[in-house]
């Protein structure tokens, strides 16, 4: 018995279909995925990171902002993600063909840094999004695993809450883990004063 394959959507089909029903959807390699409602702790971590990063780029007078809802469209895969924290470089948005109409960016020059806060679908953040953000050329990607949900090969055994800073070097991400009271080392914000534990504590 053969099983019918799900219909694969192009980005254009997905964005034209997108309903105004209060739910959040992403496009994962042509498949529309409804995202589960976030927990309160998840949202608190997002809010904390957004505040810390905003203070830093404001202090440096950089042309960045953190939008409420902007898709990141990957280059080869038909995928469109809504990152938990997305830094936009305002100076490059005139070069983005989809931004004005669809609030969508597809160029690495528009995204200095992106953060995913890990939830139950942790494989998306550690595998799919890491691969796609890497291919897109986004220079810095954080995986904020504040509960310690990821695979043991990433966060150890026993599992520990971990922040990964993935820096793009020669086209590939180099993943650096930060745990406990270690200071986060960010290539984008080298003077950032933030520990992994402060991020974990924000969930409480």
């Amino acid at each position: 018995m053969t099983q019918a394959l799900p219909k694969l959507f192009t980005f254009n089909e997905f964005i034209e279909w997108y309903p105004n029903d209060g739910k959040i959807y992403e496009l994962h390699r042509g498949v529309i995925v409804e995202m589960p409602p976030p927990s309160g702790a998840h949202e608190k971590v997002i809010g904390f990171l957004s505040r810390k990063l905003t203070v830093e780029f404001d202090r440096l007078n950089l042309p960045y902002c953190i939008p409420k809802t902007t898709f990141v469209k990957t280059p080869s895969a038909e995928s469109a993600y809504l990152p938990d924290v997305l830094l936009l470089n305002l100076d490059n948005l005139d070069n983005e063909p989809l931004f004005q109409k669809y609030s969508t960016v597809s160029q690495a020059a528009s995204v200095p840094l992106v953060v995913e806060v890990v939830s139950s679908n942790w494989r998306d953040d550690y595998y799919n999004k890491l691969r796609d953000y890497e291919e897109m050329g986004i220079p810095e990607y954080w995986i904020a695993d504040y509960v310690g949900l990821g695979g043991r090969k990433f966060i150890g055994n026993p599992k520990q809450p971990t922040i990964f800073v993935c820096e793009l070097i020669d086209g590939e991400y180099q993943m650096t883990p930060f745990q406990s009271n270690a200071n986060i080392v960010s290539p984008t914000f080298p003077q950032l004063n933030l520990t992994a534990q402060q991020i974990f504590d924000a969930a409480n």
Side-chain angles (χ1 to χ4, degrees), residues 114-157:
V114 64
V115 181
E116 296 289 359
V117 178
V118 176
S119 53
S120 57
N121 53 342
W122 62 268
R123 288 176 177 83
D124 283 344
D125 302 324
Y126 278 96
Y127 291 105
N128 301 338
K129 294 182 180 181
L130 183 141
R131 174 192 61 219
D132 290 340
Y133 292 153
E134 179 182 76
E135 183 194 17
M136 187 174 168
I138 292 174
E140 186 172 347
Y141 169 40
W142 291 18
I143 302 172
D145 196 348
Y146 71 98
V147 179
L149 295 174
R152 290 179 179 84
K153 69 178 180 180
F154 295 108
I155 62 176
N157 187 12

Side-chain angles (χ1 to χ4, degrees), residues 70-138:
T70 292
F71 284 104
V72 174
K73 178 182 179 295
T74 62
S76 62
E78 284 290 348
S79 297
Y81 301 129
L82 287 169
D84 289 317
V85 182
L86 172 65
L87 251 67
L88 282 185
N89 179 359
L90 301 175
D91 285 352
N92 195 61
L93 294 185
D94 285 345
N95 301 319
E96 288 283 2
L98 299 170
F99 186 75
Q100 289 302 328
K101 187 173 183 182
Y102 297 120
S103 186
T104 298
V105 294
S106 58
Q107 300 172 11
S110 300
V111 186
L113 187 150
V114 64
V115 181
E116 296 289 359
V117 178
V118 176
S119 53
S120 57
N121 53 342
W122 62 268
R123 288 176 177 83
D124 283 344
D125 302 324
Y126 278 96
Y127 291 105
N128 301 338
K129 294 182 180 181
L130 183 141
R131 174 192 61 219
D132 290 340
Y133 292 153
E134 179 182 76
E135 183 194 17
M136 187 174 168
I138 292 174

Side-chain angles (χ1 to χ4, degrees), residues 27-38:
L27 187 66
H28 291 202
R29 305 219 154 206
V31 177
I32 295 174
V33 178
E34 180 184 344
M35 307 308 290

Side-chain angles (χ1 to χ4, degrees), residues 17-23:
W17 162 87
Y18 204 96
N20 185 20
D21 61 3
K23 298 177 182 178

